[in-house]
Amino acid sequence: MAVRPWTVARLEEFGRIQLSKTFFMRDFLYSEISQVEGIPNLPDDPELAIEAGKRLCEEVLEPIQERFGRIAIRSAFRSAAVNARGNERGWNCGSNEANYAPHIWDHRDAEGCIGATACIVVPAALPYYENTADWTALAWWVHDHIPRYSSMQLFPKIAALNVSWHEKPKKRITSFANPKGTLTKPGMQNHGGSHAGLYSALLGSIQ
């Protein structure tokens, strides 16, 4: 089947697709690599990108936004071409194979599963993070309240958080901010149960 060429009109139409109550596809298409390198950040398989994006928005991002107010999207969908250039240049992009179903929404991973990742900032939680340097509070809240999240990865600048949806959730939290490494994953003693005591101060700070 012939691939429909991208035109301005088609891209406008694509950007207007509503993925959930408050998110539209256009919210997830910006890429610094795309802008600087002149590589369109557009999917090879738009329908698959839409399917994965809807699940990410409906099952992960909307519940976070409902509790904490507006979230900001730092980075999300990457085309295979954009991600490959970022990996080639050492711009914090893993290989395409590692990003199929995380940032590359429109390609299935090696197991044939779909997934999607967005790097977000929660502005309401920033003052707490700046005062305490405790990124784990927000991560534990998501872990306890968003059953369909697959993975989280925390970055030290403005407490940006990679949060993912995947058909087979991994339920794993890692960080490049202190304490670095793996906060939790299946099999670790701290993985189950309630962690309310670890994020009560965060919730109190933004009420």
CSV table of all heavy atoms in Angstrom, one decimal, residues 125-167:
chain,number,residue,atom,x,y,z
A,125,ALA,N,4.8,20.6,41.3
A,125,ALA,CA,5.8,19.9,42.2
A,125,ALA,C,7.2,20.5,42.2
A,125,ALA,O,8.0,20.1,43.0
A,125,ALA,CB,5.8,18.4,41.8
A,126,LEU,N,7.4,21.5,41.4
A,126,LEU,CA,8.8,22.0,41.3
A,126,LEU,C,9.2,22.7,42.6
A,126,LEU,O,10.4,22.5,43.0
A,126,LEU,CB,8.9,23.0,40.1
A,126,LEU,CG,9.3,22.4,38.8
A,126,LEU,CD1,9.3,23.5,37.7
A,126,LEU,CD2,10.7,21.8,38.9
A,127,PRO,N,8.4,23.5,43.2
A,127,PRO,CA,8.9,24.1,44.5
A,127,PRO,C,9.3,23.1,45.5
A,127,PRO,O,10.3,23.3,46.2
A,127,PRO,CB,7.7,25.0,44.9
A,127,PRO,CG,6.9,25.3,43.7
A,127,PRO,CD,7.1,24.1,42.8
A,128,TYR,N,8.5,22.0,45.6
A,128,TYR,CA,8.9,21.0,46.6
A,128,TYR,C,10.2,20.4,46.2
A,128,TYR,O,11.1,20.2,47.1
A,128,TYR,CB,7.8,19.9,46.6
A,128,TYR,CG,8.1,18.7,47.5
A,128,TYR,CD1,7.8,18.8,48.9
A,128,TYR,CD2,8.7,17.6,47.0
A,128,TYR,CE1,8.1,17.7,49.7
A,128,TYR,CE2,9.0,16.5,47.8
A,128,TYR,CZ,8.7,16.6,49.1
A,128,TYR,OH,9.0,15.5,49.9
A,129,TYR,N,10.4,20.1,44.9
A,129,TYR,CA,11.7,19.5,44.5
A,129,TYR,C,12.8,20.5,44.7
A,129,TYR,O,13.9,20.0,45.2
A,129,TYR,CB,11.6,19.1,43.0
A,129,TYR,CG,12.9,18.6,42.5
A,129,TYR,CD1,13.3,17.3,42.8
A,129,TYR,CD2,13.7,19.4,41.6
A,129,TYR,CE1,14.5,16.8,42.3
A,129,TYR,CE2,14.9,18.9,41.1
A,129,TYR,CZ,15.3,17.6,41.4
A,129,TYR,OH,16.5,17.2,40.9
A,130,GLU,N,12.6,21.7,44.4
A,130,GLU,CA,13.7,22.7,44.6
A,130,GLU,C,14.1,22.9,46.1
A,130,GLU,O,15.2,23.2,46.4
A,130,GLU,CB,13.3,24.0,44.0
A,130,GLU,CG,13.2,24.0,42.5
A,130,GLU,CD,12.5,25.2,41.9
A,130,GLU,OE1,11.9,26.0,42.6
A,130,GLU,OE2,12.5,25.3,40.6
A,131,ASN,N,13.1,22.7,47.0
A,131,ASN,CA,13.4,22.9,48.4
A,131,ASN,C,13.9,21.7,49.1
A,131,ASN,O,14.6,21.7,50.1
A,131,ASN,CB,12.1,23.3,49.1
A,131,ASN,CG,11.6,24.7,48.8
A,131,ASN,OD1,12.4,25.6,48.5
A,131,ASN,ND2,10.3,25.0,48.9
A,132,THR,N,13.6,20.5,48.5
A,132,THR,CA,14.0,19.2,49.2
A,132,THR,C,14.9,18.3,48.3
A,132,THR,O,15.6,17.4,48.9
A,132,THR,CB,12.7,18.4,49.5
A,132,THR,OG1,12.1,18.0,48.2
A,132,THR,CG2,11.7,19.2,50.3
A,133,ALA,N,15.0,18.6,47.0
A,133,ALA,CA,15.8,17.7,46.1
A,133,ALA,C,15.2,16.3,46.1
A,133,ALA,O,15.9,15.3,45.7
A,133,ALA,CB,17.3,17.7,46.4
A,134,ASP,N,14.0,16.1,46.6
A,134,ASP,CA,13.4,14.8,46.7
A,134,ASP,C,12.5,14.5,45.5
A,134,ASP,O,11.3,14.9,45.4
A,134,ASP,CB,12.5,14.7,48.0
A,134,ASP,CG,11.8,13.3,48.1
A,134,ASP,OD1,12.2,12.4,47.4
A,134,ASP,OD2,10.8,13.3,48.8
A,135,TRP,N,13.0,13.9,44.5
A,135,TRP,CA,12.2,13.5,43.3
A,135,TRP,C,11.4,12.3,43.5
A,135,TRP,O,10.5,12.0,42.8
A,135,TRP,CB,13.2,13.3,42.1
A,135,TRP,CG,14.1,12.1,42.3
A,135,TRP,CD1,15.4,12.2,42.7
A,135,TRP,CD2,13.9,10.8,42.0
A,135,TRP,NE1,16.0,11.0,42.8
A,135,TRP,CE2,15.1,10.1,42.3
A,135,TRP,CE3,12.8,10.1,41.5
A,135,TRP,CZ2,15.2,8.7,42.2
A,135,TRP,CZ3,12.9,8.7,41.3
A,135,TRP,CH2,14.1,8.0,41.7
A,136,THR,N,11.7,11.5,44.5
A,136,THR,CA,11.1,10.2,44.7
A,136,THR,C,9.6,10.4,45.1
A,136,THR,O,8.8,9.5,44.9
A,136,THR,CB,11.8,9.4,45.8
A,136,THR,OG1,11.6,10.0,47.1
A,136,THR,CG2,13.3,9.2,45.5
A,137,ALA,N,9.2,11.5,45.7
A,137,ALA,CA,7.8,11.7,46.2
A,137,ALA,C,6.9,11.6,45.0
A,137,ALA,O,5.9,10.8,45.1
A,137,ALA,CB,7.7,13.0,46.9
A,138,LEU,N,7.1,12.3,43.9
A,138,LEU,CA,6.3,12.3,42.8
A,138,LEU,C,6.3,10.9,42.1
A,138,LEU,O,5.2,10.4,41.7
A,138,LEU,CB,6.7,13.3,41.8
A,138,LEU,CG,5.9,13.4,40.5
A,138,LEU,CD1,4.4,13.7,40.8
A,138,LEU,CD2,6.4,14.4,39.5
A,139,ALA,N,7.4,10.3,42.1
A,139,ALA,CA,7.5,9.0,41.5
A,139,ALA,C,6.7,7.9,42.2
A,139,ALA,O,6.0,7.1,41.7
A,139,ALA,CB,9.0,8.5,41.4
A,140,TRP,N,6.8,8.0,43.6
A,140,TRP,CA,6.0,7.1,44.4
A,140,TRP,C,4.5,7.3,44.2
A,140,TRP,O,3.7,6.4,44.2
A,140,TRP,CB,6.4,7.1,45.8
A,140,TRP,CG,7.7,6.4,46.2
A,140,TRP,CD1,8.8,6.9,46.8
A,140,TRP,CD2,8.0,5.0,45.9
A,140,TRP,NE1,9.8,6.0,46.9
A,140,TRP,CE2,9.3,4.8,46.4
A,140,TRP,CE3,7.3,4.0,45.3
A,140,TRP,CZ2,9.9,3.5,46.3
A,140,TRP,CZ3,7.9,2.7,45.2
A,140,TRP,CH2,9.2,2.5,45.7
A,141,TRP,N,4.1,8.6,44.1
A,141,TRP,CA,2.7,8.8,43.9
A,141,TRP,C,2.2,8.2,42.6
A,141,TRP,O,1.1,7.5,42.6
A,141,TRP,CB,2.4,10.4,43.9
A,141,TRP,CG,0.9,10.7,43.8
A,141,TRP,CD1,0.1,10.8,44.8
A,141,TRP,CD2,0.1,10.7,42.6
A,141,TRP,NE1,-1.2,11.0,44.3
A,141,TRP,CE2,-1.2,10.9,43.0
A,141,TRP,CE3,0.4,10.6,41.2
A,141,TRP,CZ2,-2.2,11.1,42.1
A,141,TRP,CZ3,-0.6,10.7,40.3
A,141,TRP,CH2,-1.9,10.9,40.7
A,142,VAL,N,3.0,8.4,41.5
A,142,VAL,CA,2.6,7.8,40.3
A,142,VAL,C,2.6,6.3,40.4
A,142,VAL,O,1.6,5.6,39.9
A,142,VAL,CB,3.6,8.2,39.1
A,142,VAL,CG1,3.3,7.4,37.8
A,142,VAL,CG2,3.5,9.7,38.9
A,143,HIS,N,3.5,5.7,41.0
A,143,HIS,CA,3.6,4.2,41.2
A,143,HIS,C,2.4,3.7,41.9
A,143,HIS,O,1.8,2.7,41.5
A,143,HIS,CB,4.9,3.9,42.0
A,143,HIS,CG,5.1,2.5,42.3
A,143,HIS,ND1,5.6,1.6,41.3
A,143,HIS,CD2,4.9,1.7,43.4
A,143,HIS,CE1,5.7,0.4,41.7
A,143,HIS,NE2,5.3,0.4,43.0
A,144,ASP,N,1.9,4.5,42.9
A,144,ASP,CA,0.7,4.0,43.7
A,144,ASP,C,-0.6,4.3,43.0
A,144,ASP,O,-1.6,3.5,43.3
A,144,ASP,CB,0.7,4.7,45.1
A,144,ASP,CG,1.7,4.1,46.1
A,144,ASP,OD1,2.4,3.2,45.7
A,144,ASP,OD2,1.7,4.6,47.2
A,145,HIS,N,-0.7,5.3,42.2
A,145,HIS,CA,-2.0,5.7,41.6
A,145,HIS,C,-2.2,5.5,40.1
A,145,HIS,O,-3.3,5.6,39.7
A,145,HIS,CB,-2.2,7.2,41.9
A,145,HIS,CG,-2.3,7.5,43.4
A,145,HIS,ND1,-1.3,7.7,44.2
A,145,HIS,CD2,-3.4,7.6,44.2
A,145,HIS,CE1,-1.7,7.9,45.5
A,145,HIS,NE2,-3.0,7.9,45.5
A,146,ILE,N,-1.1,5.2,39.4
A,146,ILE,CA,-1.3,5.0,37.9
A,146,ILE,C,-0.9,3.6,37.6
A,146,ILE,O,0.2,3.3,37.3
A,146,ILE,CB,-0.4,6.0,37.2
A,146,ILE,CG1,-0.5,7.4,37.7
A,146,ILE,CG2,-0.7,6.0,35.7
A,146,ILE,CD1,-1.8,8.1,37.5
A,147,PRO,N,-1.9,2.7,37.7
A,147,PRO,CA,-1.6,1.3,37.5
A,147,PRO,C,-1.0,0.9,36.2
A,147,PRO,O,-0.4,-0.1,36.0
A,147,PRO,CB,-2.9,0.6,37.8
A,147,PRO,CG,-4.0,1.6,37.6
A,147,PRO,CD,-3.3,2.9,38.0
A,148,ARG,N,-1.3,1.7,35.1
A,148,ARG,CA,-0.8,1.4,33.8
A,148,ARG,C,0.5,2.0,33.4
A,148,ARG,O,0.9,1.9,32.2
A,148,ARG,CB,-1.9,1.7,32.8
A,148,ARG,CG,-3.2,0.8,32.9
A,148,ARG,CD,-2.8,-0.7,32.5
A,148,ARG,NE,-2.4,-0.8,31.2
A,148,ARG,CZ,-1.9,-1.9,30.7
A,148,ARG,NH1,-1.7,-3.0,31.4
A,148,ARG,NH2,-1.5,-2.0,29.4
A,149,TYR,N,1.1,2.7,34.3
A,149,TYR,CA,2.5,3.2,33.9
A,149,TYR,C,3.4,2.0,33.7
A,149,TYR,O,3.3,1.0,34.4
A,149,TYR,CB,3.0,4.2,34.9
A,149,TYR,CG,3.9,3.6,36.0
A,149,TYR,CD1,5.3,3.6,35.7
A,149,TYR,CD2,3.4,3.1,37.2
A,149,TYR,CE1,6.1,3.0,36.7
A,149,TYR,CE2,4.3,2.6,38.1
A,149,TYR,CZ,5.6,2.5,37.9
A,149,TYR,OH,6.5,2.0,38.8
A,150,SER,N,4.4,2.2,32.8
A,150,SER,CA,5.3,1.1,32.6
A,150,SER,C,6.7,1.4,33.3
A,150,SER,O,7.2,0.5,33.9
A,150,SER,CB,5.5,0.8,31.1
A,150,SER,OG,6.5,-0.2,30.9
A,151,SER,N,7.2,2.6,33.0
A,151,SER,CA,8.5,2.9,33.6
A,151,SER,C,8.5,4.4,33.8
A,151,SER,O,7.8,5.2,33.2
A,151,SER,CB,9.6,2.5,32.7
A,151,SER,OG,9.6,3.2,31.5
A,152,MET,N,9.4,4.8,34.7
A,152,MET,CA,9.7,6.2,35.0
A,152,MET,C,11.2,6.4,35.1
A,152,MET,O,11.9,5.5,35.6
A,152,MET,CB,9.1,6.7,36.3
A,152,MET,CG,7.6,6.9,36.2
A,152,MET,SD,6.9,7.6,37.7
A,152,MET,CE,6.7,6.1,38.7
A,153,GLN,N,11.7,7.5,34.6
A,153,GLN,CA,13.1,7.8,34.6
A,153,GLN,C,13.3,9.3,34.9
A,153,GLN,O,12.7,10.2,34.2
A,153,GLN,CB,13.8,7.5,33.3
A,153,GLN,CG,15.3,7.6,33.3
A,153,GLN,CD,15.9,7.0,32.0
A,153,GLN,OE1,15.4,7.4,30.9
A,153,GLN,NE2,16.9,6.2,32.1
A,154,LEU,N,13.9,9.7,36.0
A,154,LEU,CA,14.0,11.0,36.5
A,154,LEU,C,15.3,11.7,36.1
A,154,LEU,O,16.4,11.1,36.2
A,154,LEU,CB,13.9,11.1,38.0
A,154,LEU,CG,13.6,12.4,38.7
A,154,LEU,CD1,14.8,13.3,38.8
A,154,LEU,CD2,12.4,13.1,38.1
A,155,PHE,N,15.2,12.9,35.6
A,155,PHE,CA,16.4,13.7,35.3
A,155,PHE,C,16.5,14.9,36.2
A,155,PHE,O,15.5,15.5,36.7
A,155,PHE,CB,16.3,14.2,33.8
A,155,PHE,CG,16.1,13.1,32.8
A,155,PHE,CD1,14.9,12.7,32.4
A,155,PHE,CD2,17.2,12.5,32.3
A,155,PHE,CE1,14.7,11.7,31.5
A,155,PHE,CE2,17.1,11.5,31.4
A,155,PHE,CZ,15.8,11.1,31.0
A,156,PRO,N,17.8,15.3,36.6
A,156,PRO,CA,17.9,16.3,37.6
A,156,PRO,C,17.5,17.7,37.2
A,156,PRO,O,17.1,18.5,38.1
A,156,PRO,CB,19.4,16.3,37.9
A,156,PRO,CG,20.1,15.7,36.7
A,156,PRO,CD,19.1,14.7,36.2
A,157,LYS,N,17.5,18.1,35.9
A,157,LYS,CA,17.1,19.4,35.5
A,157,LYS,C,15.6,19.6,35.6
A,157,LYS,O,14.9,18.8,34.9
A,157,LYS,CB,17.7,19.7,34.1
A,157,LYS,CG,19.2,19.9,34.0
A,157,LYS,CD,19.6,20.3,32.6
A,157,LYS,CE,21.1,20.5,32.6
A,157,LYS,NZ,21.6,20.8,31.2
A,158,ILE,N,15.1,20.5,36.4
A,158,ILE,CA,13.7,20.8,36.6
A,158,ILE,C,12.9,19.6,36.8
A,158,ILE,O,11.7,19.5,36.6
A,158,ILE,CB,13.1,21.7,35.5
A,158,ILE,CG1,13.2,21.0,34.1
A,158,ILE,CG2,13.8,23.1,35.5
A,158,ILE,CD1,12.4,21.8,33.0
A,159,ALA,N,13.5,18.6,37.4
A,159,ALA,CA,12.8,17.3,37.8
A,159,ALA,C,12.0,16.7,36.6
A,159,ALA,O,10.9,16.2,36.8
A,159,ALA,CB,11.9,17.6,39.0
A,160,ALA,N,12.6,16.8,35.4
A,160,ALA,CA,11.9,16.2,34.3
A,160,ALA,C,11.8,14.7,34.4
A,160,ALA,O,12.7,14.1,34.9
A,160,ALA,CB,12.6,16.6,33.0
A,161,LEU,N,10.7,14.2,34.0
A,161,LEU,CA,10.4,12.8,34.3
A,161,LEU,C,9.9,12.1,33.0
A,161,LEU,O,8.9,12.5,32.4
A,161,LEU,CB,9.3,12.7,35.3
A,161,LEU,CG,8.8,11.3,35.7
A,161,LEU,CD1,9.9,10.5,36.5
A,161,LEU,CD2,7.5,11.3,36.5
A,162,ASN,N,10.7,11.1,32.5
A,162,ASN,CA,10.2,10.2,31.5
A,162,ASN,C,9.2,9.3,32.1
A,162,ASN,O,9.5,8.5,33.0
A,162,ASN,CB,11.3,9.4,30.9
A,162,ASN,CG,12.0,10.0,29.7
A,162,ASN,OD1,11.6,11.1,29.3
A,162,ASN,ND2,13.1,9.4,29.2
A,163,VAL,N,8.0,9.3,31.5
A,163,VAL,CA,6.9,8.4,32.0
A,163,VAL,C,6.3,7.6,30.8
A,163,VAL,O,6.1,8.3,29.8
A,163,VAL,CB,5.9,9.1,32.9
A,163,VAL,CG1,5.2,10.1,32.1
A,163,VAL,CG2,4.9,8.1,33.5
A,164,SER,N,6.2,6.3,30.9
A,164,SER,CA,5.8,5.5,29.8
A,164,SER,C,4.6,4.7,30.0
A,164,SER,O,4.3,4.3,31.2
A,164,SER,CB,6.9,4.5,29.5
A,164,SER,OG,8.1,5.2,29.2
A,165,TRP,N,3.9,4.4,28.9
A,165,TRP,CA,2.8,3.4,28.9
A,165,TRP,C,3.3,2.3,28.0
A,165,TRP,O,4.0,2.5,27.0
A,165,TRP,CB,1.5,4.0,28.4
A,165,TRP,CG,0.5,2.9,28.2
A,165,TRP,CD1,-0.4,2.4,29.1
A,165,TRP,CD2,0.3,2.1,27.0
A,165,TRP,NE1,-1.2,1.4,28.5
A,165,TRP,CE2,-0.7,1.2,27.2
A,165,TRP,CE3,0.9,2.0,25.7
A,165,TRP,CZ2,-1.2,0.2,26.3
A,165,TRP,CZ3,0.5,1.1,24.8
A,165,TRP,CH2,-0.6,0.2,25.1
A,166,HIS,N,3.0,1.0,28.3
A,166,HIS,CA,3.4,-0.1,27.5
A,166,HIS,C,2.4,-1.2,27.7
A,166,HIS,O,1.8,-1.3,28.7
A,166,HIS,CB,4.8,-0.6,27.9
A,166,HIS,CG,5.4,-1.6,27.0
A,166,HIS,ND1,5.2,-2.9,27.1
A,166,HIS,CD2,6.2,-1.4,25.9
A,166,HIS,CE1,5.9,-3.6,26.1
A,166,HIS,NE2,6.5,-2.7,25.4
A,167,GLU,N,2.2,-2.0,26.6
A,167,GLU,CA,1.3,-3.1,26.7
A,167,GLU,C,1.6,-4.1,27.8
A,167,GLU,O,0.7,-4.7,28.4
A,167,GLU,CB,1.3,-3.9,25.4
A,167,GLU,CG,0.5,-3.2,24.3
A,167,GLU,CD,0.4,-4.1,23.0
A,167,GLU,OE1,1.4,-4.2,22.3
A,167,GLU,OE2,-0.7,-4.7,22.8
